[in-house]
Amino acid sequence: MSIGLQRRAQNRSRTAALAPAERELPGWPVLILLWGMPAWWALGMLPFIAMIVAVPMIAFLSQRSRVKLVPGMLPFVAFVVWMLPCALMLDSFGRMIGFSMRFAHFAAVAVALVYVINARHALTVRRVMSGLTFTWVFVIAGGYLGMLWPETTLTMTIGQLLPASILENEYVRDLVFPSFAEVQTPWGAEQPFERPSAPFPYTNGWGAAIAILTPIAVATALERRTAAATVWLMLGIAAAIPPAIATTNRGLFVGLIAAVCYVLFRLLARGKWVPFLWVGSLGAILVVLLTLTGALNGIAERQDAADTSEGRGALYEETFVRALASPIFGYGAPRPSFTSEITVGTQGMIWDAMFCFGFVGLALFAFFLLGGLARTWSAPNVSALWLHSSIVSACALSVFYGLDRHILTICLVLGVMLRERYAPSSRFWNANPRTEISTHAA
């Protein structure tokens, strides 16, 4: 009798071990997004790959009887859901196409956010950070492509398969036929400004990527704690300087300054004088290099030729006034300006959220970004602090740059940090609270 009971107990143990809830989620759906970025870009598939990979993510998640959520992630999911009723405000087929692609991308990122929280064993902090650091390296390489061949555009891409009605949308066309640089010739300029942008359609996207990803690269090197990682980090930062100068991108430097100043403040508050002096010294050296290499003069020259500051101020005022006319659902998509050539709802993520999705959408997005920042404020070690600073950089950039192409990076960073913050035990994070919400799959 005892032998039979023991065998039945062993069989139940084996069955439980094979139960869907106990199966570990594989890491490859997220990792191929990061490590495969060069291929997706060259094929013109960057706008679609997150949507494609979201399908197996949903399939793997649906096989589990229990999907874990953590505090701080639901505002982003709610933001994506809120986009749907805002589509009622769209007034043209072209805007419907742009909205559909944008919604699908944000929905795929929401799936990736849930996935990375549940795939803790396969998508460790180190693996996610390493993948994002590789993205940083590739963005730097893309900057050199823009410097060397600014007039080049990739045409043998998936865009050849899309119908002409979809390609009529300029935003979609720029995504599926990626160019190496933005070539701008503002009135009064002595020569064109050739500003690297690859692997993004616009130079501002390149600058935002460097500002958000550089702190992540620093966090990765610190987490590895090896001399080789430090050397590679220094080489990467040095390599990023020439294309960063070529972009004459003010936002890039604003984002980096925000991240570095934040880290310096937190290190000083914690009494960590050695890291504080290291960061402060390296920051001072970079400022001197940027001054000597003429980067600041280049930005000033472009500002003289195309004064975008005053134009942005007027555009922001128009954005706010027009948002008041549709405060709940917004307009679903950017619209032409009444006074400027620049489209309303494109010059900053917070303005975009407010104009396109109303003040409700703005509140949800801000709650996700700022709420996630507050929930992970403890950042118990220097590596976590640098990772945290990438979100600080994103917050600073959200005022004047769109973040659509960077929302995956933001969600992966916040997803990992929130996951480790509320995990019962974490080698990366030593927080006390262990709150966890669970939902049971139908």
Side-chain angles (χ1 to χ4, degrees):
M1 179 68 70
S2 61
I3 295 176
L5 290 174
Q6 185 177 3
R7 288 178 177 174
R8 284 196 292 272
Q10 290 175 347
N11 290 336
R12 283 196 296 270
S13 299
R14 294 192 188 98
T15 302
L18 295 174
E22 300 299 325
R23 292 174 184 168
E24 295 296 340
L25 295 173
W28 64 262
V30 170
L31 296 178
I32 65 171
L33 286 174
L34 304 177
W35 292 94
M37 187 178 185
W40 311 137
W41 171 73
L43 294 171
M45 290 184 62
L46 277 184
F48 310 103
I49 189 60
M51 311 171 203
I52 295 171
V53 177
V55 175
M57 289 187 199
I58 294 172
F60 287 129
L61 286 169
S62 66
Q63 292 176 2
R64 298 169 67 87
S65 62
R66 180 170 166 269
V67 176
K68 299 177 182 178
L69 306 177
V70 295
M73 62 170 290
L74 290 180
F76 184 76
V77 178
F79 172 75
V80 174
V81 173
W82 181 252
M83 293 174 71
L84 288 173
C86 297
L88 297 173
M89 308 301 292
L90 298 170
D91 61 350
S92 70
F93 179 74
R95 292 193 180 103
M96 177 62 74
I97 293 296
F99 172 87
S100 299
M101 288 191 61
R102 192 179 189 195
F103 171 77
H105 176 70
F106 272 70
V109 172
V111 172
L113 175 62
V114 176
Y115 194 88
V116 76
I117 287 172
N118 284 267
R120 186 169 179 236
H121 295 286
L123 293 172
T124 62
V125 177
R126 174 172 289 192
R127 295 187 78 180
V128 174
M129 289 169 61
S130 296
L132 290 171
T133 300
F134 172 77
T135 301
W136 176 67
V137 172
F138 178 61
V139 171
I140 294 172
Y144 281 93
L145 292 177
M147 292 174 64
L148 296 172
W149 301 286
E151 302 285 349
T152 301
T153 298
L154 298 180
T155 56
M156 300 305 294
T157 68
I158 196 173
Q160 296 284 354
L161 305 177
L162 297 179
S165 58
I166 294 180
L167 294 177
E168 287 179 359
N169 185 288
E170 182 180 359
Y171 177 66
V172 175
R173 190 168 59 250
D174 289 340
L175 290 175
V176 297
F177 295 121
S179 57
F180 287 7
E182 270 193 280
V183 180
Q184 301 173 335
T185 311
W187 186 85
E190 296 181 0
Q191 57 185 0
F193 292 104
E194 297 176 345
R195 308 174 67 200
S197 62
F200 302 96
Y202 310 116
T203 299
N204 288 348
W206 192 93
I210 291 296
I212 295 172
L213 290 169
T214 299
I216 299 172
V218 176
T220 303
L222 292 173
E223 193 273 338
R224 289 185 175 274
R225 300 180 183 179
T226 63
T230 303
V231 170
W232 282 111
L233 172 67
M234 294 295 102
L235 291 175
I237 291 175
I241 293 176
I245 293 172
T247 63
T248 63
N249 194 290
R250 293 170 294 174
L252 186 161
F253 299 108
V254 169
L256 286 177
I257 289 171
V260 172
C261 289
Y262 166 78
V263 171
L264 284 172
F265 171 77
R266 295 296 303 275
L267 290 174
L268 185 62
R270 294 179 179 183
K272 295 184 177 294
W273 291 101
V274 174
F276 174 83
L277 293 174
W278 270 106
V279 175
S281 299
L282 291 175
I285 292 172
L286 285 176
V287 170
V288 172
L289 287 175
L290 291 174
T291 303
L292 294 177
T293 53
L296 301 182
N297 290 334
I299 293 175
E301 289 175 5
R302 193 175 75 86
Q303 182 68 14
D304 291 337
D307 187 1
T308 58
S309 298
E310 183 178 350
R312 279 180 179 268
L315 193 67
Y316 293 156
E317 182 180 358
E318 180 184 351
T319 302
F320 180 74
V321 170
R322 292 176 66 176
L324 291 175
S326 182
I328 305 301
F329 297 112
Y331 295 88
R335 302 289 176 90
S337 170
F338 296 145
T339 60
S340 171
E341 295 180 356
I342 303 175
T343 305
V344 175
T346 60
Q347 301 300 299
M349 187 65 200
I350 62 171
W351 304 99
D352 176 278
M354 178 178 66
F355 185 82
C356 296
F357 312 117
F359 289 95
V360 176
L362 172 63
L364 289 172
F365 185 81
F367 188 34
F368 168 68
L369 203 59
L370 298 177
L373 195 68
R375 289 179 183 277
T376 54
W377 181 261
S378 57
N381 54 70
V382 180
S383 179
L385 199 59
W386 275 104
L387 200 60
H388 200 240
S389 74
S390 70
I391 305 302
V392 173
S393 179
C395 289
L397 293 171
S398 67
V399 178
F400 40 84
Y401 281 174
L403 299 177
D404 281 21
R405 294 298 109 190
H406 313 293
I407 198 66
L408 176 64
T409 297
I410 294 170
C411 283
L412 288 180
V413 171
L414 272 180
V416 165
M417 296 190 75
L418 288 168
R419 182 189 75 188
E420 299 301 312
R421 163 72 170 82
Y422 292 105
S425 60
S426 172
R427 294 180 180 179
F428 185 77
W429 202 282
N430 298 315
N432 291 324
R434 298 182 179 183
T435 306
E436 183 180 274
I437 306 171
S438 297
T439 61
H440 293 273

